[in-house]
Amino acid sequence: MDSKYKNINLNIDNKVAVLKFNRPEQLNAMNRQMMDEIIDGIVTINNNEDVKVAVITGSGRAFMAGADIKEYGSQTEEQFRSFQETGITLYEAIENAPKPWIAAVNGFALGGGFEIALACDLILASENAKMGLPEVFLSLIPGGGGTQRLIQKIGVNRVREMLFLGGQYSSEQLHAWGIVNQIVPDGEFDETIWLYAEKLSRRSPSAIKQLKKLVQLSLTSLSFDQKIQEEAKTVTKLFYSPEAKKAIQDFIEKT
């Protein structure tokens, strides 16, 4: 456990890193200090070659209930601009990481909290979790990529509903819509998350890294032919790698 942080906990065990938001009395609402700590934690995890999978989750009743409105609402123009720019850095550090990030949504994931989950590669959610983008109630819009990342995952009409009404949606509903990968019973949450992450950590890191890049590439404006060509280049590069050579040979010897 890394004790240098005040607002998060960071633990690395057996190739799996767990970054946990730790402001439970504030439902893990994110102030600027917490945001800086989260970014530092993400960078630490991404740069640690021993870590194969990262999990991000919350303590108490919430994953993260968005920004700390008391601090958020009192910012100067310069502070607000800096907060937004730093937030974009946070989301992109997860999305563009060379390893998979799992959002383990243990409770409320609203506003910026939901945007962090959307930046992750996979979302596992407690059966009682609630997620949404309620910024419209403050006459605002999501500022951390929520409008764009959400629309990449589900149909535009559902995105409009979620953004326009600002409602909170259950794990069951978001699982049906394809946002949540798996619903986890509350009593089995920690164990299930760990087993899922540990299983993923046994997959080829080099293959996962390239898969992340190709999935992101699929969302760009490049032509389909260009995307297929990039996929072909990637599989060829991996095929001639020592890791793949050994895996293929081991498979042949077992059959």
Side-chain angles (χ1 to χ4, degrees):
M1 185 77 70
D2 197 321
S3 60
K4 73 176 181 177
Y5 303 115
K6 179 180 178 181
N7 300 287
I8 68 170
N9 294 327
L10 177 59
N11 187 60
I12 297 174
D13 182 28
N14 194 29
K15 301 181 182 179
V16 176
V18 178
L19 191 160
K20 179 177 286 189
F21 309 132
N22 193 32
R23 296 185 78 209
E25 295 81 8
Q26 294 81 25
L27 297 181
N28 298 319
M30 183 167 57
N31 59 20
R32 180 54 192 265
Q33 182 184 14
M34 182 179 180
M35 178 185 284
D36 290 339
E37 290 185 9
I38 294 170
I39 292 174
D40 187 88
I42 293 169
V43 171
T44 297
I45 291 169
N46 286 343
N47 290 339
N48 189 330
E49 294 185 0
D50 293 331
V51 173
K52 307 306 179 188
V53 177
V55 175
I56 193 162
T57 190
S59 56
R61 297 189 299 119
F63 177 80
M64 179 190 286
D68 186 327
I69 299 301
K70 289 183 179 179
E71 180 186 274
Y72 189 75
S74 62
Q75 294 177 115
T76 65
E77 183 177 344
E78 182 179 349
Q79 289 171 332
F80 175 77
R81 187 180 298 110
S82 176
F83 188 87
Q84 292 301 116
E85 291 174 353
T86 306
I88 290 172
T89 298
L90 188 162
Y91 304 116
E92 290 183 345
I94 294 174
E95 190 170 59
N96 299 326
K99 59 196 67 178
W101 277 80
I102 301 170
V105 180
N106 55 298
F108 293 104
L110 305 173
F114 189 38
E115 289 178 306
I116 287 176
L118 290 173
C120 290
D121 301 286
L122 301 159
I123 300 177
L124 276 61
S126 161
E127 58 189 347
N128 292 317
K130 298 289 184 182
M131 289 160 270
L133 296 166
E135 286 83 354
V136 68
F137 287 109
L138 298 176
S139 296
L140 296 171
I141 64 168
T147 61
Q148 302 308 303
R149 290 191 177 96
L150 189 58
I151 210 165
Q152 291 172 352
K153 298 177 187 293
I154 58 175
V156 65
N157 281 359
R158 286 172 175 164
V159 172
R160 287 193 183 105
E161 176 187 318
M162 293 183 72
L163 294 172
F164 293 177
L165 294 180
Q168 295 182 18
Y169 293 79
S170 68
S171 298
E172 183 178 2
Q173 181 65 78
L174 295 186
H175 182 263
W177 286 357
I179 297 174
V180 169
N181 294 88
Q182 184 173 321
I183 301 173
V184 182
D186 284 348
E188 303 170 12
F189 191 77
D190 290 343
E191 179 182 7
T192 301
I193 297 299
W194 174 257
L195 290 174
Y196 191 100
E198 197 275 332
K199 179 180 180 181
L200 185 56
S201 74
R202 298 197 301 271
R203 301 300 186 262
S204 164
S206 56
I208 294 291
K209 179 180 179 179
Q210 296 304 322
L211 286 169
K212 281 197 64 167
K213 287 183 177 180
L214 288 168
V215 169
Q216 288 298 107
L217 185 69
S218 74
L219 302 172
T220 69
S221 60
L222 289 177
S223 70
F224 185 76
D225 284 345
Q226 288 174 305
K227 295 172 184 176
I228 291 299
Q229 289 173 14
E230 187 61 32
E231 181 186 79
K233 291 177 184 177
T234 301
V235 72
T236 300
K237 180 180 178 180
L238 288 173
F239 181 79
Y240 289 105
S241 69
E243 182 182 350
K245 289 286 188 184
K246 183 179 185 305
I248 293 169
Q249 189 60 40
D250 288 347
F251 180 84
I252 292 173
E253 292 175 358
K254 290 179 182 179
T255 58

